Amino acid sequence: MEHLSWNRRIYDRGLRALLYLCAGITVALLVFMIGYVFYRGLGGITWEFLTTQRSLIKGTDGILPNILNTLYIIFLSMIIVLPLGVGAAIYLTEYATNHKLLSIIEFATETLTGIPSIIFGLVGMLFFQQIMGLKYGILGGGLTLVIMILPTIVRTTQESLKTVPQSYREGALGLGAGKWRMVRTVVLPNAVDGIVTGCILAVGRIVGESAALLFTAGMGGVLHNFADALTTSSGTLSVALYVAVNERGDVQTALAIAAVLMVITLLINLLAMVAGSRLKNK
Amino acid sequence: MNAILKTEHLNLWYGQNHALKDINLEMPQNQVTALIGPSGCGKSTFLKTLDRMNDLVPSVRIEGKVMYRDQNIFDPQVDVTWLRRHVGMVFQKPNPFPMSIYDNIAYGPRTHGIRGKKQLDEIVEKSLQGAAIWDEVKDRLKKSALSLSGGQQQRICIARAMAVEPDVLLMDEATSALDPISTSKIEDLIAELKKTYTIVIVTHNMQQATRVSDRCAFFLHGELVEADDTEKLFSVPKDKRTEDYITGRFG
Ligand SMILES: Nc1ncnc2c1ncn2[C@@H]1O[C@H](COP(=O)(O)OP(=O)(O)OP(=O)(O)O)[C@@H](O)[C@H]1O
Ligand SMILES: [Mg+2]
């Protein structure tokens, strides 16, 4: 008895140390990653870097166009994918009754979330440019991203809809609410958290995407307004980073871009969280 | 005897499972009808059929009629939201929405188009009083309904159901999750409510059935074995199986 509990205690301690180690390594890696990028990159961020475009004539080397392009493409993709994905998820979880078809669709979306992004880029290029006749630009790139992240949004929204207790639905229907009123008043408000998480994941993928955009949005680094950028080759920050390293071997600029990217991601996630809690409390 | 709800040759299948077998039962106006029987005999299924909550189950098939005031509720022209407005349901587990107490009660009336603040205030107060919980919550109507105790939550749910002014209240083991004090509060409430409403309850508790119900129906394996005045059913049951059940010999 004594012996057993002694063993047990050692086992417990050992296990706890192991888990502690896992957590420690995870944190250390993250801190190292972020620290390294900021340490090497922040130095390259100057006012000029953030507010000008790269121009050999003026001798400036800035990334303002890429920052804007990134924001443009986030805006365009999200404004399309959010209603589309959330709407599809609502239909699939709350309305659809054909369970066989439903599980096929769920399997398909699941599979689509795992497809390498370069394939979306390839198909996006072939479809939007060669068949639909779009030019390189935010529009073609944004639509490609919509297709790429749609499954993510649908899946995360569906998952969060499924966590809403059935008893809320029964309660609403039992009081004579129609289906849509039930969805709007007791289902969606309780699924907001999951939808926000889905959006954060989606924005993360957009911001980090380069492969799917090289063929569709292009690499352009010239300043344009939103309307012009739609159909003009426009590189996002990630693409600019790729170009900086790959075509100019300019690691310093790449690291500075990386630091900017991380700040932007952080800001957008914070924004999404604030928006989410606002929506929820309403 | 004026039956406000009446089933005629009601049969129900969940897939292959014949869960209700040819049920003929009348539920008289302003009386409490109690459904009793062992677990799995179809009490909840029967109750849910009365306000068509079974429509949510994909594999369900129903034959026969449920008459609500001379209207067969399965008629294609019957709007389920209309039906559920008149036949309200209180569930076994208290299920207030994660909103304020006020919004919970106002949910039904708002659903049916009542928007005026004054009118809603009146309905909320009247319903909470009707469910004997007004005094306990009147100072915190804006607080979340989830902050209340289980017994209070159940009375909130009763008030919420009353706020749409239904004709009939269905209660599926509405007190099984509650302590004895909350239970007796709700039993008193039921006695009060039957002046206004027609009530159908499901209960596993024989004492409760004798305390609160006027009529009692005994279900077994999807069949209605016997239905009678509660006093008669418990003193001189006609069927041997009823007798066995109420004397605790099985179930
Ligand atoms: N949604 C459903 N889908 C399939 N079968 C169901 C469903 N609900 C109930 N059943 C089946 O119908 C039969 C009756 O169930 P029901 O829930 O009506 O019993 P009950 O009398 O309310 O039991 P309890 O006293 O345990 O609540 C059972 O055999 C049950 O397995
Ligand atoms: Mg039941």
Side-chain angles (χ1 to χ4, degrees), chain B residues 23-51:
Chain B
I23 309 288
N24 297 287
L25 182 66
E26 303 197 347
M27 286 146 276
Q29 185 156 24
N30 296 110
Q31 294 202 5
V32 178
T33 304
L35 313 178
I36 59 171
S39 196
C41 67
K43 305 177 298 289
S44 300
T45 300
F46 179 79
L47 203 68
K48 282 193 217 154
T49 310
L50 299 179
D51 76 342

Side-chain angles (χ1 to χ4, degrees), chain A residues 142-163:
Chain A
L143 291 176
T144 304
L145 291 186
V146 164
I147 301 172
M148 189 179 90
I149 57 187
L150 187 58
T152 308
I153 297 279
V154 173
R155 290 301 299 161
T156 48
T157 306
Q158 267 195 296
E159 288 313 314
S160 64
L161 291 175
K162 284 178 191 167
T163 63

Side-chain angles (χ1 to χ4, degrees), chain B residues 43-44 92 172-173 202:
Chain B
K43 305 177 298 289
S44 300
Q92 173 169 3
D172 193 347
E173 299 186 53
V202 169

Side-chain angles (χ1 to χ4, degrees), chain A residues 78-161:
Chain A
M78 290 311 286
I79 211 167
I80 299 174
V81 83
L82 199 57
L84 196 62
V86 172
I90 290 175
Y91 178 78
L92 289 174
T93 31
E94 307 292 333
Y95 289 84
T97 46
N98 185 338
H99 285 257
K100 201 153 185 190
L101 189 67
L102 208 62
S103 57
I104 293 175
I105 293 177
E106 284 184 3
F107 179 72
T109 47
E110 193 102 27
T111 310
L112 276 175
T113 50
I115 288 184
S117 57
I118 191 134
I119 296 177
F120 284 99
L122 187 66
V123 174
M125 176 181 75
L126 294 175
F127 182 73
F128 292 119
Q129 288 174 16
Q130 304 202 344
I131 297 177
M132 306 263 297
L134 283 179
K135 294 208 183 67
Y136 272 109
I138 296 293
L139 188 56
L143 291 176
T144 304
L145 291 186
V146 164
I147 301 172
M148 189 179 90
I149 57 187
L150 187 58
T152 308
I153 297 279
V154 173
R155 290 301 299 161
T156 48
T157 306
Q158 267 195 296
E159 288 313 314
S160 64
L161 291 175

